[in-house]
Amino acid sequence: MKNLLILFGLMLSLVGCSQQQAVFTQYMYNDLMFNPGVTGAKDYVPINLNSRRQWVGIEDAPFTQTISAHSYLGQNFGVGGVIFNQVTGPTRRT
């Protein structure tokens, strides 16, 4: 029985899936990406567009783009949104 459990555990580890976390820089300019609680915290509408290409000159290197905006609507209420696109080799997430 113990061998069967070990075999089952090994089989599960072979079919496991993983994900790649996006790498962001310039976090001081796009605070909405890291903390959604800032939505509506400013008295103007900040619109941020960021682009990051890692390993310039290497084919299929990670490439990330984001655009975000948020606004104060009154009575302690804000609204905002983020559009995110990442291309890493043969994969793409939007």
Side-chain angles (χ1 to χ4, degrees), residues 65-93:
Q65 306 97 18
T66 60
I67 185 168
S68 66
H70 64 93
S71 176
Y72 176 70
L73 296 180
Q75 297 182 349
N76 295 328
F77 187 75
V79 66
V82 175
I83 298 174
F84 162 83
N85 181 44
Q86 181 180 22
V87 179
T88 306
T91 63
R92 171 181 230 139
R93 293 186 317 162

Side-chain angles (χ1 to χ4, degrees), residues 24-92:
F24 296 105
T25 56
Q26 302 149 347
Y27 59 88
M28 71 286 279
Y29 300 118
N30 195 354
D31 49 0
L32 185 61
M33 275 303 294
F34 295 98
N35 183 8
V38 308
T39 303
K42 299 183 177 166
D43 57 352
Y44 57 93
V45 180
I47 300 173
N48 295 305
L49 174 65
N50 290 344
S51 177
R52 181 172 197 256
R53 182 180 300 270
Q54 297 182 40
W55 313 323
V56 175
I58 296 177
E59 189 175 338
D60 294 334
F63 185 45
T64 306
Q65 306 97 18
T66 60
I67 185 168
S68 66
H70 64 93
S71 176
Y72 176 70
L73 296 180
Q75 297 182 349
N76 295 328
F77 187 75
V79 66
V82 175
I83 298 174
F84 162 83
N85 181 44
Q86 181 180 22
V87 179
T88 306
T91 63
R92 171 181 230 139

